[in-house]
Amino acid sequence: MAQLGPRATSATELKAQIEAEREGRPFLVYRDGSDEQRILPVAEGASELWVGRREAADLHLEWDAEVSGLHAQLEVVGDECTIVDDGLSRNGTFVNAERVRGRKLLRDGDVLRFGQTLVLFRAPGAQSGESTVISTDLLEAGGVSPAQKRVLVALCRPYKDGAAFATPATNQQIGDELHLSVDAVKTHLRALFEKFGVAELPQNQKRVALVERALQSGLVSERDL
């Protein structure tokens, strides 16, 4: 099972991620020692970012005792990023739960782990020429039916244009839009919670987490909204 990255836990956090996506540049998403979401953009023209506990590190993980002073390096060439760990760290660097031996080219959606800290790598610009193929593949691989896709889009509708303080659509709002009963909407959502791996989350977090994963995966795009 793929490792899950840090999740947005509020509409404000999700809005911040969507705004970062609009910039088109790679960025990193993680939660700090106080469990607050942090977003680190990879600035245009940057050639490298350093990860570690030292204050000079670009990705400064001072709260994680399992992270080395200088733990790893992110090499940047245009919109492509490579994670490098040539023995700098004691506990290693992991991408999608696999230890990095030397260097590894990162893909949009990869989950990095330094010590106990999970970091989501996003490269929205890399999707520009592949978005249709990616969305189709994910739709088929996840077994999301056309009816479930319509429910998913309706659920995400309030996030159109990164609306401030948006919250997922209610069951009644989804039903009204799609001419479905509330019970039918609930049935589709239960299936989607399972398919997106959020069924075990607290009830008040499931819907936001589902929206987050739908938007991050590309299954629901801004054009859909």
Side-chain angles (χ1 to χ4, degrees):
M1 184 175 181
Q3 189 171 28
L4 300 177
R7 296 188 295 269
T9 59
S10 69
T12 300
E13 289 185 351
L14 183 56
K15 178 175 180 289
Q17 290 191 26
I18 294 172
E19 288 176 347
E21 288 179 13
R22 288 205 181 105
E23 296 296 321
R25 293 288 304 159
F27 62 94
L28 304 173
V29 184
Y30 61 100
R31 307 196 75 83
D32 65 16
S34 299
D35 200 34
E36 296 291 328
Q37 175 177 279
R38 302 294 179 192
I39 295 179
L40 177 63
V42 177
E44 190 169 359
S47 60
E48 63 182 22
L49 295 176
W50 284 93
V51 181
R53 292 180 68 197
R54 290 185 187 173
E55 192 172 348
D58 301 285
L59 182 54
H60 185 207
L61 308 178
E62 76 280 0
W63 62 86
D64 192 332
E66 295 185 18
V67 173
S68 300
L70 286 179
H71 193 101
Q73 178 189 24
L74 199 70
E75 290 185 344
V76 185
V77 179
D79 286 341
E80 292 198 337
C81 297
T82 301
I83 192 70
V84 182
D85 187 337
D86 287 324
L88 279 173
S89 65
R90 178 176 297 178
N91 293 316
T93 296
F94 296 79
V95 175
N96 301 327
E98 293 186 8
R99 186 161 185 163
V100 175
R101 307 290 182 181
R103 61 188 59 221
K104 181 176 178 60
L105 181 66
L106 298 178
R107 304 290 186 187
D108 182 49
D110 280 347
V111 178
L112 292 67
R113 179 166 68 81
F114 310 103
Q116 292 298 314
T117 303
L118 295 178
V119 178
L120 175 67
F121 174 76
R122 293 301 321 279
Q127 300 178 10
S128 57
E130 303 175 358
S131 57
T132 302
V133 174
I134 290 173
S135 294
T136 301
D137 289 347
L138 285 166
L139 191 62
E140 293 175 352
V144 177
S145 70
Q148 290 169 349
K149 171 70 181 292
R150 288 192 291 272
V151 168
L152 200 53
V153 170
L155 179 74
C156 298
R157 187 87 63 196
Y159 293 85
K160 181 179 176 66
D161 299 325
F165 308 113
T167 57
T170 66
N171 292 340
Q172 188 64 59
Q173 288 170 330
I174 295 171
D176 290 345
E177 177 180 335
L178 301 179
H179 305 291
L180 295 173
S181 69
V182 169
D183 284 341
V185 173
K186 288 180 178 178
T187 298
H188 285 310
L189 285 175
R190 279 195 294 270
L192 289 165
F193 291 151
E194 290 290 341
K195 289 175 180 180
F196 281 79
V198 300
E200 300 305 316
L201 291 177
Q203 192 64 35
N204 63 345
Q205 295 181 20
K206 286 181 183 179
R207 299 170 79 90
V208 170
L210 180 57
V211 169
E212 176 197 8
R213 296 187 188 188
L215 293 172
Q216 286 183 350
S217 69
L219 269 176
V220 176
S221 68
E222 288 192 45
R223 291 190 299 275
D224 293 322
L225 303 179

